[in-house]
Amino acid sequence: MSKLAFPALAVLTIFGLLLASAPLVQASRSAQAACVETYTVVAGDTLGTIAQKYLGEIAAYPQIVTATNAAAAGDTSFAKIADANIIEIGWKLCIPAKAPTTPGATTASATPATAATTAPTVAPTPTVAPLTLAQLGNATYTVEGAPNGTATLTEGKVVISDTVQFTAQVAEPVANGTLNNSPYAAVQLITQPGGSGTFSYVAAVPNNNGAPGTGVTALLGDRIKVTAISIADNAIKVDWLDRKAEEPMTAEPTVATTKYFVLNASGALVEGQPTPPTPVATTASPTASATDAAASPTPAPGSPEGTYISSRPAADASALLWQVFLAGNGEASWLSNYVGKGTINATGTWSMLSETTLEIVLIRQEDRNINEKFVFEIQGDKLVATQYNQSLYGDSGITLYKADANVTGNVTYVEKIALPDDAVIEVYLVDVTNPEAPGTFISGISERANGQQVPISFSLPYDSLQINPAGHYIVQAFISANGRLLFSNAAGVAVITNGAPTSNVEVVVSQPAQ
């Protein structure tokens, strides 16, 4: 699912989201190598700003990379640019003649035989009559605490008396949509297994041609208030109100919480990330690579599914954060977060090539088809790229770290001001161990409010092996709209080490000084 964020740290230009993802222009090598003029890098330069100045748009920066490297082959006074995100003061660059860029075009494959002959299209959504609350009230659910692990409801409720009374009932809200290319309904299931607890679950129910199948469930919490359920991009989104950690169960729930749930390879409902429907090839006789791209492989037992993160310098942003999610059904998403600029999301598939290597194939980026392949070697909790397009990602390497922990909490403010629907919330986990250097971004989120008001929940993944027990880490938050900073907490809130929390972190943002 794509999210376009406007800057909280700098003004977003219309081409900012194309940075470091636009493919190289397919112009002749001789034309690119001809320098119209030269340029020497000074402090504060990025290839994006240089391209904007001399070629008229940020997305043209790959032309400078290609022209400079071609010039360097015959003249050592020119720089050799290995990574477009990193340039040095004093480097001599070759500025080529202006050439039209095509941001939607894909880079030519290093192996032409592997390119798909037809563009993949999104698999169609099955068309069946949606399930109603009444129908869901006469279905069977697998749910914790029920005798034999299942509860069959009649007219919306079931009461089972044994040694312990068990009650289950469905309740609004109800949503219908598609999960893993099959029609499903989602509904709240409330159980009372005895005692004082009243537990809310989200249930995913197969829609078998207008009749409910057996629903699977995932626990949300005890005595919470579910406010919304929706299905989109192969995930169920649930919004509810919960309590703060220190509040008693008798307190009214007020803390806004949002989570996504997906069906894994074994059919269980688990927390996950939204991914668009798997693209399928439209040709009757696709090439081998088109078939590979359309496939949604099932990972082998013990495979490294989960969330991976990485941080690196960016050509025209404070940092570039990658968050890669490998789902249990073989789908993959790759979110690129340009800090203060916006996000770009790509989706595709992943599969194991051997016990120690895996392949990710990105098929769709925003609203265009792509074909980007990566091969990673599995090194403990890391994925180290051994094959990838260096013209797009540089030759400094790609290492993804598996996240095994999260910093969770809420962003809020004291002013009685409603956020506009298009407000953008940015929350970042930052390493500030070295007070003499700028903080190092570890992970972050950037998303539109879409009408949601504070408190707004967040979850920031991190790899505990990257955390220095003696280090200092903070969570920063920014809220902006239409390129204007509305609220911020640049100083941040301490987390993780030195007794600081990792959950229920409250980040209070304030309006900037006028």
Side-chain angles (χ1 to χ4, degrees):
M1 180 171 60
S2 168
K3 300 174 183 174
L4 300 181
F6 291 90
L9 308 180
V11 175
L12 172 65
T13 66
I14 192 170
F15 295 108
L17 295 182
L18 297 175
L19 182 62
S21 67
L24 296 177
V25 178
Q26 304 303 310
S28 71
R29 187 175 186 85
S30 60
Q32 289 175 322
C35 304
V36 173
E37 58 186 302
T38 63
Y39 179 80
T40 302
V41 177
V42 299
D45 276 342
T46 68
L47 284 176
T49 58
I50 297 170
Q52 178 74 58
K53 179 179 179 180
Y54 289 97
L55 302 179
E57 56 180 319
I58 293 174
Y61 80 91
Q63 297 177 41
I64 299 176
V65 175
T66 302
T68 300
N69 287 341
D75 184 347
T76 57
S77 68
F78 285 94
K80 177 66 176 177
I81 303 175
D83 188 335
N85 292 313
I86 302 174
I87 57 176
E88 301 288 344
I89 296 173
W91 277 8
K92 180 181 176 182
L93 306 181
C94 173
I95 308 299
K98 288 186 180 180
T101 58
T102 53
T106 56
T107 303
S109 172
T111 309
T114 64
T117 57
T118 56
T121 56
V122 174
T125 300
T127 55
V128 295
L131 297 177
T132 65
L133 182 64
Q135 289 175 298
L136 296 170
N138 291 281
T140 298
Y141 297 84
T142 59
V143 61
E144 184 180 3
N148 301 318
T150 63
T152 300
L153 278 58
T154 302
E155 295 184 353
K157 189 174 183 179
V158 63
V159 178
I160 302 173
S161 296
D162 198 352
T163 55
V164 177
Q165 187 182 63
F166 176 87
T167 301
Q169 59 184 335
V170 290
E172 295 280 8
V174 175
N176 282 269
T178 302
L179 299 177
N180 297 351
N181 296 326
S182 297
Y184 270 81
V187 68
Q188 180 184 188
L189 182 71
I190 302 172
T191 71
Q192 292 178 309
S196 59
T198 300
F199 299 95
S200 290
Y201 293 79
V202 59
V205 183
N207 186 335
N208 299 328
N209 295 317
T214 300
V216 292
T217 58
L219 178 65
L220 302 176
D222 183 9
R223 281 165 280 185
I224 62 172
K225 183 181 294 184
V226 176
T227 57
I229 296 177
S230 60
I231 301 178
D233 293 332
N234 282 318
I236 301 174
K237 178 184 179 184
V238 187
D239 299 303
W240 73 88
L241 299 178
D242 208 336
R243 298 166 189 79
K244 295 181 180 179
E246 67 276 9
E247 289 184 321
M249 296 303 294
T250 54
E252 183 71 14
T254 59
V255 179
T257 304
T258 299
K259 287 187 178 181
Y260 293 88
F261 297 87
V262 299
L263 294 172
N264 67 12
S266 63
L269 193 61
V270 297
E271 285 190 49
Q273 294 295 320
T275 56
T278 305
V280 295
T282 57
T283 179
S285 56
T287 64
S289 66
T291 303
D292 292 341
S296 180
T298 300
S303 59
E305 60 192 62
T307 299
Y308 293 80
I309 59 174
S310 185
S311 175
R312 59 164 42 192
D316 198 30
S318 300
L320 168 59
L321 306 178
W322 283 329
Q323 186 167 316
V324 179
F325 180 69
L326 306 182
N329 60 0
E331 295 179 349
S333 66
W334 188 306
L335 182 68
S336 299
N337 183 347
Y338 297 91
V339 173
K341 296 287 185 178
T343 59
I344 298 175
N345 193 30
T347 56
T349 63
W350 73 278
S351 60
M352 298 295 295
L353 300 181
S354 71
E355 292 184 356
T356 58
T357 59
L358 64 84
E359 179 184 65
I360 297 177
V361 180
L362 298 181
I363 303 169
R364 189 87 176 165
Q365 180 173 289
E366 302 298 318
D367 59 352
R368 66 187 181 95
N369 296 322
I370 62 174
N371 182 28
E372 294 180 12
K373 294 186 179 181
F374 307 79
V375 175
F376 290 91
E377 180 180 332
I378 303 171
Q379 297 182 4
D381 74 331
K382 298 186 298 185
L383 299 181
V384 179
T386 57
Q387 297 178 34
Y388 62 97
N389 190 334
Q390 294 186 359
S391 66
L392 290 177
Y393 295 91
D395 59 5
S396 58
I398 297 176
T399 300
L400 305 176
Y401 299 87
K402 190 169 188 179
D404 59 359
N406 291 274
V407 174
T408 60
N410 293 281
V411 176
T412 189
Y413 53 77
V414 298
E415 289 84 355
K416 302 299 183 181
I417 302 173
L419 288 176
D421 288 349
D422 62 349
V424 174
I425 298 93
E426 298 173 74
V427 189
Y428 300 107
L429 176 59
V430 186
D431 182 349
V432 292
T433 301
N434 184 356
E436 305 300 324
T440 300
F441 290 87
I442 297 175
S443 68
I445 60 170
S446 178
E447 58 184 19
R448 292 189 185 277
N450 291 326
Q452 186 179 2
Q453 301 298 321
V454 296
I456 297 172
S457 61
F458 64 82
S459 179
L460 304 175
Y462 67 93
D463 176 10
S464 58
L465 294 178
Q466 290 184 287
I467 300 299
N468 179 358
H472 297 276
Y473 303 87
I474 62 172
V475 169
Q476 296 176 326
F478 306 87
I479 302 177
S480 61
N482 296 319
R484 183 170 64 91
L485 182 63
L486 303 180
F487 298 91
S488 71
N489 185 337
V493 176
V495 294
I496 303 178
T497 59
N498 303 302
T502 58
S503 61
N504 299 309
V505 177
E506 186 171 66
V507 183
V508 180
V509 293
S510 58
Q511 294 176 303
Q514 300 297 322

